[in-house]
Amino acid sequence: SKGKESKEAEIKARILEYCKEARNLKSIAEYLGYGDIYKFKKNYVNELIENNNLKLTIPDKPNSRLQKYKSNK
């Protein structure tokens, strides 16, 4: 549906805006009001990483508990 797509695009835009400074996953999810960080990562963050919109601060250890995410823009 069109509404769902525009909502997803808006969420992704907000993630990238928030991640102009490196942020951990929990703080990104909380900032956007998501409690389930794993689902949030699967639905939004992974795609942003795949598209090179977000970069990892520890690229060789994607699942590090110290991992942070930063916008490439």
Side-chain angles (χ1 to χ4, degrees):
S1 70
K2 198 76 198 122
K4 184 175 181 287
E5 278 173 30
S6 63
K7 185 175 190 313
E8 278 185 18
E10 185 192 324
I11 289 167
K12 287 174 186 166
R14 289 183 66 197
I15 292 170
L16 293 175
E17 181 65 33
Y18 185 61
C19 290
K20 285 187 171 154
E21 288 177 38
R23 312 274 189 180
N24 68 30
L25 189 60
K26 189 172 188 291
S27 80
I28 303 166
E30 283 176 358
Y31 176 72
L32 283 149
Y34 283 80
D36 185 338
I37 65 172
Y38 298 100
K39 192 173 172 189
F40 176 75
K41 182 174 190 284
K42 187 166 78 78
N43 289 348
Y44 303 109
V45 177
N46 288 349
E47 192 180 320
L48 290 170
I49 294 166
E50 283 159 25
N51 296 340
N52 286 321
N53 290 315
L54 269 187
K55 63 186 175 200
L56 305 177
T57 56
I58 313 172
D60 50 334
K61 293 184 183 167
N63 297 316
S64 166
R65 62 187 181 82
L66 303 173
Q67 187 65 259
K68 290 188 175 168
Y69 304 84
K70 192 171 192 314
S71 297
N72 260 333
K73 296 193 169 18

Coordinates of all heavy atoms in Angstrom, one line a residue:
S1 N 0.8 -1.2 0.0 CA 0.0 0.0 0.0 C 0.9 1.3 0.0 O 2.0 1.3 0.5 CB -0.9 0.0 1.2 OG -0.1 0.2 2.4
K2 N 0.3 2.3 -0.6 CA 1.1 3.5 -0.7 C 1.4 4.1 0.7 O 2.5 4.6 0.9 CB 0.3 4.5 -1.6 CG 1.1 5.6 -2.1 CD 2.0 5.1 -3.3 CE 3.1 6.1 -3.6 NZ 4.4 5.5 -3.5
G3 N 0.4 4.1 1.6 CA 0.6 4.7 2.9 C 1.7 4.0 3.6 O 2.5 4.7 4.3
K4 N 1.8 2.7 3.5 CA 2.9 2.0 4.2 C 4.2 2.3 3.7 O 5.2 2.5 4.4 CB 2.6 0.5 4.1 CG 3.6 -0.4 4.8 CD 3.2 -1.9 4.7 CE 4.1 -2.8 5.5 NZ 5.4 -2.9 4.8
E5 N 4.3 2.4 2.4 CA 5.6 2.8 1.7 C 6.1 4.2 2.2 O 7.3 4.4 2.4 CB 5.5 2.8 0.2 CG 5.6 1.4 -0.4 CD 5.4 1.3 -1.9 OE1 5.6 2.3 -2.6 OE2 4.9 0.2 -2.3
S6 N 5.2 5.1 2.2 CA 5.6 6.5 2.6 C 5.9 6.5 4.1 O 6.8 7.3 4.5 CB 4.5 7.5 2.2 OG 3.3 7.3 2.9
K7 N 5.3 5.7 4.9 CA 5.6 5.7 6.3 C 7.0 5.1 6.5 O 7.8 5.6 7.3 CB 4.6 4.8 7.1 CG 4.8 4.8 8.6 CD 3.7 4.1 9.3 CE 3.7 4.2 10.8 NZ 5.0 4.0 11.4
E8 N 7.3 4.0 5.7 CA 8.6 3.4 5.8 C 9.7 4.4 5.4 O 10.8 4.5 6.0 CB 8.7 2.1 4.9 CG 8.1 0.9 5.6 CD 8.3 -0.4 4.8 OE1 9.1 -0.4 3.9 OE2 7.6 -1.3 5.2
A9 N 9.4 5.1 4.3 CA 10.4 6.1 3.8 C 10.6 7.2 4.8 O 11.8 7.6 5.0 CB 9.9 6.7 2.5
E10 N 9.6 7.6 5.5 CA 9.7 8.6 6.5 C 10.5 8.1 7.7 O 11.4 8.8 8.3 CB 8.3 9.0 7.0 CG 8.3 10.2 8.0 CD 6.9 10.3 8.7 OE1 5.9 10.1 8.1 OE2 6.9 10.7 9.9
I11 N 10.3 6.9 8.1 CA 11.0 6.3 9.2 C 12.5 6.2 8.9 O 13.4 6.6 9.7 CB 10.5 4.9 9.6 CG1 9.1 5.1 10.3 CG2 11.5 4.1 10.5 CD1 8.3 3.8 10.4
K12 N 12.8 5.8 7.6 CA 14.2 5.6 7.2 C 14.9 7.0 7.2 O 16.0 7.2 7.6 CB 14.3 5.0 5.8 CG 14.0 3.5 6.0 CD 13.9 2.8 4.6 CE 13.5 1.4 4.7 NZ 13.1 0.8 3.5
A13 N 14.1 8.0 6.7 CA 14.7 9.4 6.7 C 15.0 9.9 8.1 O 16.0 10.5 8.3 CB 13.7 10.3 6.0
R14 N 14.1 9.5 9.0 CA 14.3 10.0 10.4 C 15.5 9.2 11.0 O 16.3 9.8 11.8 CB 13.1 9.7 11.3 CG 12.0 10.7 10.9 CD 10.8 10.5 11.8 NE 11.1 10.8 13.2 CZ 10.3 10.4 14.2 NH1 9.2 9.7 14.0 NH2 10.6 10.7 15.5
I15 N 15.7 8.0 10.7 CA 16.9 7.2 11.2 C 18.2 7.9 10.7 O 19.1 8.1 11.4 CB 16.8 5.7 10.7 CG1 15.7 5.0 11.3 CG2 18.2 5.0 11.0 CD1 15.4 3.6 10.7
L16 N 18.2 8.2 9.4 CA 19.4 8.8 8.8 C 19.7 10.2 9.4 O 20.8 10.5 9.7 CB 19.3 8.9 7.3 CG 19.3 7.5 6.6 CD1 19.0 7.7 5.1 CD2 20.5 6.8 6.8
E17 N 18.6 10.9 9.7 CA 18.8 12.2 10.3 C 19.4 12.1 11.7 O 20.3 12.7 12.1 CB 17.4 12.9 10.4 CG 17.4 14.3 11.0 CD 18.2 15.3 10.1 OE1 18.2 15.2 8.9 OE2 18.8 16.2 10.8
Y18 N 18.8 11.1 12.5 CA 19.2 10.9 13.9 C 20.7 10.4 13.9 O 21.4 10.6 14.9 CB 18.3 9.9 14.5 CG 18.5 9.6 16.0 CD1 18.4 10.7 16.9 CD2 18.8 8.4 16.4 CE1 18.6 10.4 18.3 CE2 19.0 8.1 17.8 CZ 18.9 9.1 18.7 OH 19.1 8.9 20.0
C19 N 21.1 9.6 12.9 CA 22.4 9.0 12.9 C 23.5 9.8 12.2 O 24.5 9.3 11.8 CB 22.3 7.6 12.2 SG 21.3 6.4 13.2
K20 N 23.2 11.1 12.1 CA 24.3 12.0 11.7 C 25.4 11.9 12.7 O 26.6 12.1 12.4 CB 23.8 13.4 11.5 CG 23.0 13.5 10.2 CD 22.6 15.0 9.9 CE 22.0 15.0 8.5 NZ 21.1 16.1 8.3
E21 N 25.1 11.6 14.0 CA 26.0 11.2 15.0 C 25.9 9.7 15.1 O 24.8 9.2 15.1 CB 25.7 11.9 16.3 CG 26.0 13.4 16.4 CD 25.7 14.0 17.7 OE1 25.9 13.3 18.7 OE2 25.2 15.1 17.7
A22 N 27.0 9.0 15.4 CA 26.9 7.6 15.6 C 26.0 7.2 16.8 O 26.2 7.8 17.8 CB 28.3 7.0 15.8
R23 N 25.1 6.3 16.5 CA 24.2 5.9 17.6 C 24.1 4.4 17.7 O 24.2 3.7 16.7 CB 22.7 6.4 17.2 CG 22.6 7.8 16.8 CD 22.5 8.7 18.0 NE 22.2 10.1 17.5 CZ 22.0 11.1 18.3 NH1 22.1 10.9 19.6 NH2 21.7 12.3 17.9
N24 N 23.8 3.9 18.9 CA 23.6 2.4 19.0 C 22.1 2.1 18.6 O 21.3 3.0 18.6 CB 24.0 1.9 20.3 CG 23.1 2.3 21.5 OD1 22.0 2.6 21.3 ND2 23.7 2.4 22.6
L25 N 21.9 0.8 18.3 CA 20.6 0.4 17.8 C 19.5 0.7 18.8 O 18.4 1.1 18.4 CB 20.7 -1.1 17.6 CG 19.5 -1.7 16.9 CD1 19.3 -1.1 15.5 CD2 19.7 -3.2 16.7
K26 N 19.8 0.5 20.1 CA 18.7 0.7 21.1 C 18.3 2.1 21.1 O 17.1 2.4 21.2 CB 19.3 0.3 22.5 CG 18.2 0.2 23.6 CD 18.8 -0.4 24.9 CE 17.8 -0.6 25.9 NZ 17.3 0.6 26.5
S27 N 19.2 3.0 21.0 CA 18.8 4.5 21.1 C 18.1 4.9 19.8 O 17.2 5.7 19.9 CB 20.0 5.4 21.4 OG 20.8 5.6 20.2
I28 N 18.4 4.3 18.7 CA 17.7 4.6 17.4 C 16.3 4.1 17.5 O 15.3 4.8 17.2 CB 18.4 3.9 16.2 CG1 19.9 4.4 16.1 CG2 17.6 4.3 14.9 CD1 20.7 3.5 15.1
A29 N 16.1 2.9 18.0 CA 14.8 2.3 18.1 C 14.0 3.1 19.1 O 12.8 3.4 18.8 CB 14.9 0.8 18.5
E30 N 14.5 3.4 20.2 CA 13.8 4.2 21.2 C 13.4 5.6 20.7 O 12.3 6.0 21.0 CB 14.6 4.3 22.5 CG 14.6 3.0 23.3 CD 15.5 3.1 24.6 OE1 16.2 4.2 24.8 OE2 15.6 2.1 25.3
Y31 N 14.3 6.2 20.0 CA 14.0 7.5 19.4 C 12.8 7.5 18.5 O 12.0 8.4 18.5 CB 15.3 8.0 18.6 CG 15.1 9.3 17.9 CD1 15.1 10.5 18.6 CD2 15.0 9.3 16.5 CE1 14.9 11.7 17.9 CE2 14.9 10.5 15.8 CZ 14.8 11.7 16.5 OH 14.7 12.9 15.8
L32 N 12.6 6.4 17.8 CA 11.5 6.2 16.9 C 10.3 5.5 17.5 O 9.3 5.2 16.9 CB 12.0 5.5 15.6 CG 12.7 6.5 14.7 CD1 13.8 5.7 13.9 CD2 11.8 7.2 13.8
G33 N 10.4 5.2 18.8 CA 9.3 4.6 19.5 C 9.1 3.1 19.3 O 8.0 2.5 19.5
Y34 N 10.2 2.4 18.9 CA 10.1 0.9 18.7 C 10.7 0.2 19.9 O 11.8 0.5 20.3 CB 10.8 0.5 17.5 CG 10.1 0.8 16.2 CD1 10.0 2.1 15.7 CD2 9.3 -0.2 15.6 CE1 9.3 2.4 14.6 CE2 8.6 0.1 14.5 CZ 8.6 1.4 14.0 OH 7.8 1.7 12.9
G35 N 9.9 -0.8 20.5 CA 10.4 -1.5 21.6 C 11.2 -2.8 21.2 O 12.2 -3.2 21.8
D36 N 10.8 -3.3 20.0 CA 11.5 -4.6 19.6 C 12.6 -4.2 18.6 O 12.4 -4.0 17.4 CB 10.4 -5.4 18.8 CG 11.0 -6.8 18.4 OD1 12.2 -6.9 18.3 OD2 10.2 -7.7 18.2
I37 N 13.8 -4.1 19.2 CA 15.0 -3.6 18.4 C 15.4 -4.6 17.3 O 15.9 -4.2 16.3 CB 16.2 -3.2 19.3 CG1 16.8 -4.4 20.0 CG2 15.8 -2.1 20.2 CD1 18.1 -4.1 20.7
Y38 N 15.1 -5.9 17.5 CA 15.5 -6.9 16.5 C 14.6 -6.7 15.2 O 15.1 -6.7 14.1 CB 15.5 -8.3 17.0 CG 16.5 -8.4 18.1 CD1 16.1 -8.3 19.5 CD2 17.9 -8.5 17.9 CE1 17.1 -8.4 20.5 CE2 18.9 -8.5 18.9 CZ 18.4 -8.5 20.2 OH 19.4 -8.5 21.2
K39 N 13.4 -6.6 15.5 CA 12.4 -6.4 14.4 C 12.7 -5.1 13.7 O 12.6 -5.0 12.5 CB 11.0 -6.5 14.9 CG 9.9 -6.6 13.9 CD 8.6 -6.8 14.5 CE 7.5 -6.7 13.5 NZ 6.1 -6.7 14.1
F40 N 12.9 -4.1 14.5 CA 13.2 -2.7 14.0 C 14.5 -2.8 13.0 O 14.5 -2.3 11.9 CB 13.5 -1.8 15.1 CG 13.9 -0.4 14.7 CD1 13.0 0.5 14.2 CD2 15.2 0.0 14.9 CE1 13.4 1.8 13.8 CE2 15.6 1.3 14.5 CZ 14.7 2.2 14.0
K41 N 15.5 -3.5 13.5 CA 16.7 -3.6 12.7 C 16.4 -4.4 11.4 O 16.9 -3.9 10.3 CB 17.8 -4.4 13.5 CG 19.1 -4.5 12.8 CD 20.2 -5.1 13.7 CE 21.6 -5.1 13.1 NZ 21.7 -6.1 12.0
K42 N 15.7 -5.4 11.5 CA 15.3 -6.2 10.3 C 14.5 -5.4 9.3 O 14.7 -5.5 8.1 CB 14.6 -7.5 10.8 CG 14.3 -8.5 9.6 CD 13.8 -9.8 10.2 CE 12.4 -9.8 10.6 NZ 11.5 -9.9 9.5
N43 N 13.6 -4.7 9.8 CA 12.6 -3.9 9.0 C 13.2 -2.7 8.3 O 12.8 -2.3 7.2 CB 11.4 -3.5 9.7 CG 10.5 -4.7 10.0 OD1 10.7 -5.8 9.5 ND2 9.5 -4.6 10.9
Y44 N 14.2 -2.0 9.0 CA 14.6 -0.7 8.6 C 16.1 -0.6 8.4 O 16.7 -0.2 7.4 CB 14.1 0.4 9.5 CG 12.6 0.4 9.6 CD1 12.0 0.0 10.8 CD2 11.8 0.8 8.5 CE1 10.6 0.0 10.8 CE2 10.5 0.8 8.6 CZ 9.8 0.4 9.8 OH 8.5 0.4 9.8
V45 N 16.8 -0.9 9.5 CA 18.3 -0.7 9.6 C 19.1 -1.5 8.6 O 19.9 -1.0 7.9 CB 18.8 -0.9 11.0 CG1 20.3 -0.7 11.1 CG2 18.0 0.1 12.0
N46 N 18.7 -2.8 8.5 CA 19.5 -3.7 7.6 C 19.5 -3.1 6.2 O 20.5 -3.1 5.5 CB 19.0 -5.1 7.6 CG 19.3 -5.8 8.9 OD1 20.1 -5.3 9.7 ND2 18.7 -6.9 9.2
E47 N 18.3 -2.7 5.7 CA 18.2 -2.2 4.4 C 19.0 -0.9 4.1 O 19.6 -0.8 3.1 CB 16.7 -1.9 4.0 CG 16.5 -1.7 2.6 CD 15.0 -1.4 2.3 OE1 14.1 -2.1 2.9 OE2 14.7 -0.5 1.4
L48 N 19.0 -0.1 5.1 CA 19.8 1.2 5.1 C 21.3 0.8 5.0 O 22.1 1.5 4.3 CB 19.5 2.1 6.3 CG 18.1 2.7 6.3 CD1 17.9 3.4 7.6 CD2 18.0 3.7 5.1
I49 N 21.7 -0.2 5.7 CA 23.1 -0.7 5.6 C 23.4 -1.2 4.2 O 24.4 -0.9 3.6 CB 23.4 -1.7 6.7 CG1 23.3 -1.0 8.1 CG2 24.8 -2.3 6.5 CD1 23.2 -2.0 9.2
E50 N 22.5 -2.1 3.7 CA 22.7 -2.7 2.4 C 22.8 -1.7 1.3 O 23.5 -1.8 0.4 CB 21.6 -3.7 2.1 CG 21.7 -5.0 2.9 CD 20.4 -5.8 3.0 OE1 19.5 -5.6 2.2 OE2 20.3 -6.6 3.9
N51 N 22.0 -0.6 1.5 CA 22.0 0.5 0.4 C 23.1 1.5 0.7 O 23.1 2.5 0.0 CB 20.7 1.2 0.5 CG 19.5 0.3 0.1 OD1 19.7 -0.7 -0.5 ND2 18.3 0.7 0.5
N52 N 24.0 1.2 1.6 CA 25.1 2.1 2.0 C 24.6 3.5 2.4 O 25.4 4.5 2.3 CB 26.0 2.3 0.7 CG 26.9 1.1 0.5 OD1 27.3 0.5 1.5 ND2 27.1 0.7 -0.7
N53 N 23.4 3.6 3.0 CA 23.0 4.8 3.6 C 23.5 5.0 5.0 O 23.7 6.1 5.5 CB 21.5 4.9 3.6 CG 20.9 5.1 2.2 OD1 21.4 5.9 1.4 ND2 19.9 4.3 1.8
L54 N 23.6 3.8 5.7 CA 24.2 3.8 7.0 C 25.4 3.0 7.0 O 25.5 2.0 6.3 CB 23.2 3.0 8.0 CG 22.1 3.8 8.7 CD1 21.5 2.8 9.7 CD2 22.6 5.0 9.5
K55 N 26.4 3.4 7.8 CA 27.6 2.6 7.9 C 27.8 2.2 9.4 O 27.3 2.8 10.3 CB 28.8 3.3 7.4 CG 29.2 4.6 8.2 CD 30.3 5.4 7.5 CE 30.5 6.7 8.2 NZ 31.3 7.6 7.4
L56 N 28.5 1.1 9.6 CA 28.8 0.5 10.9 C 30.1 1.1 11.4 O 31.1 1.3 10.6 CB 29.0 -1.0 10.8 CG 27.8 -1.8 10.2 CD1 28.2 -3.3 10.2 CD2 26.6 -1.6 11.0
T57 N 30.1 1.4 12.7 CA 31.4 2.0 13.3 C 32.4 0.8 13.5 O 33.6 1.1 13.6 CB 31.1 2.7 14.6 OG1 30.5 1.9 15.5 CG2 30.3 4.0 14.3
I58 N 31.9 -0.4 13.6 CA 32.8 -1.6 13.7 C 32.4 -2.6 12.6 O 31.8 -3.6 12.9 CB 32.6 -2.3 15.1 CG1 32.7 -1.2 16.2 CG2 33.7 -3.3 15.4 CD1 32.3 -1.7 17.6
P59 N 32.8 -2.3 11.4 CA 32.3 -3.1 10.2 C 32.7 -4.5 10.2 O 32.0 -5.4 9.7 CB 32.9 -2.4 9.0 CG 33.9 -1.4 9.5 CD 33.6 -1.2 11.0
D60 N 33.9 -4.8 10.9 CA 34.3 -6.3 10.9 C 33.6 -7.1 11.9 O 33.7 -8.3 12.0 CB 35.8 -6.4 11.0 CG 36.4 -5.5 12.1 OD1 35.7 -4.5 12.5 OD2 37.4 -5.9 12.7
K61 N 32.8 -6.4 12.8 CA 32.0 -7.2 13.8 C 30.6 -6.6 13.9 O 30.2 -5.9 14.8 CB 32.7 -7.0 15.2 CG 34.0 -7.7 15.4 CD 34.5 -7.6 16.8 CE 35.9 -8.2 17.0 NZ 36.5 -7.8 18.3
P62 N 29.8 -7.0 12.8 CA 28.4 -6.4 12.7 C 27.6 -6.6 14.0 O 26.7 -5.7 14.2 CB 27.8 -7.1 11.5 CG 28.9 -7.8 10.8 CD 30.1 -7.9 11.8
N63 N 27.8 -7.6 14.7 CA 26.9 -7.9 15.9 C 27.6 -7.5 17.2 O 27.1 -7.9 18.3 CB 26.5 -9.4 15.9 CG 25.7 -9.7 14.7 OD1 24.8 -9.0 14.3 ND2 26.0 -10.8 14.0
S64 N 28.6 -6.8 17.2 CA 29.3 -6.3 18.4 C 28.3 -5.5 19.2 O 27.5 -4.7 18.7 CB 30.5 -5.4 18.1 OG 30.9 -4.7 19.2
R65 N 28.4 -5.7 20.6 CA 27.5 -5.0 21.4 C 27.9 -3.5 21.5 O 27.1 -2.6 22.0 CB 27.4 -5.6 22.8 CG 28.8 -5.5 23.5 CD 28.7 -6.3 24.9 NE 30.1 -6.2 25.5 CZ 30.5 -5.1 26.2 NH1 29.7 -4.1 26.4 NH2 31.7 -5.2 26.7
L66 N 29.1 -3.2 21.0 CA 29.5 -1.8 21.0 C 29.2 -1.1 19.6 O 29.6 0.0 19.4 CB 31.0 -1.7 21.2 CG 31.5 -2.3 22.6 CD1 33.0 -2.4 22.7 CD2 30.9 -1.6 23.7
Q67 N 28.6 -1.9 18.7 CA 28.3 -1.4 17.4 C 27.5 -0.1 17.4 O 26.5 0.0 18.2 CB 27.5 -2.5 16.6 CG 27.3 -2.1 15.2 CD 28.6 -2.1 14.4 OE1 29.2 -1.1 14.1 NE2 29.1 -3.3 14.1
K68 N 27.8 0.8 16.5 CA 27.0 2.0 16.3 C 26.8 2.2 14.8 O 27.5 1.6 14.0 CB 27.7 3.2 16.9 CG 27.6 3.2 18.5 CD 28.1 4.5 19.1 CE 27.9 4.4 20.6 NZ 28.6 5.5 21.3
Y69 N 25.8 3.0 14.5 CA 25.4 3.2 13.1 C 25.5 4.7 12.8 O 25.1 5.5 13.6 CB 24.0 2.7 12.9 CG 23.9 1.3 13.3 CD1 23.6 0.9 14.6 CD2 24.0 0.3 12.3 CE1 23.6 -0.5 14.9 CE2 23.9 -1.1 12.7 CZ 23.7 -1.4 14.0 OH 23.6 -2.7 14.3
K70 N 26.1 5.1 11.7 CA 26.2 6.5 11.3 C 25.8 6.7 9.9 O 26.1 5.8 9.0 CB 27.7 6.9 11.5 CG 27.9 8.4 11.4 CD 29.3 8.7 11.9 CE 29.6 10.2 12.1 NZ 29.1 11.1 11.1
S71 N 25.1 7.8 9.6 CA 24.7 8.1 8.3 C 25.9 8.3 7.4 O 26.9 8.9 7.8 CB 23.8 9.4 8.2 OG 22.7 9.2 9.0
N72 N 25.8 7.9 6.1 CA 26.8 8.1 5.1 C 26.6 9.5 4.4 O 27.4 9.8 3.6 CB 26.8 7.0 4.1 CG 27.9 6.0 4.4 OD1 28.9 6.3 5.0 ND2 27.7 4.8 3.9
K73 N 25.5 10.2 4.8 CA 25.2 11.4 4.0 C 25.8 12.6 4.8 O 25.8 12.6 6.0 CB 23.7 11.6 3.9 CG 23.1 10.5 3.1 CD 21.7 10.8 2.7 CE 21.1 9.9 1.7 NZ 21.8 8.6 1.5

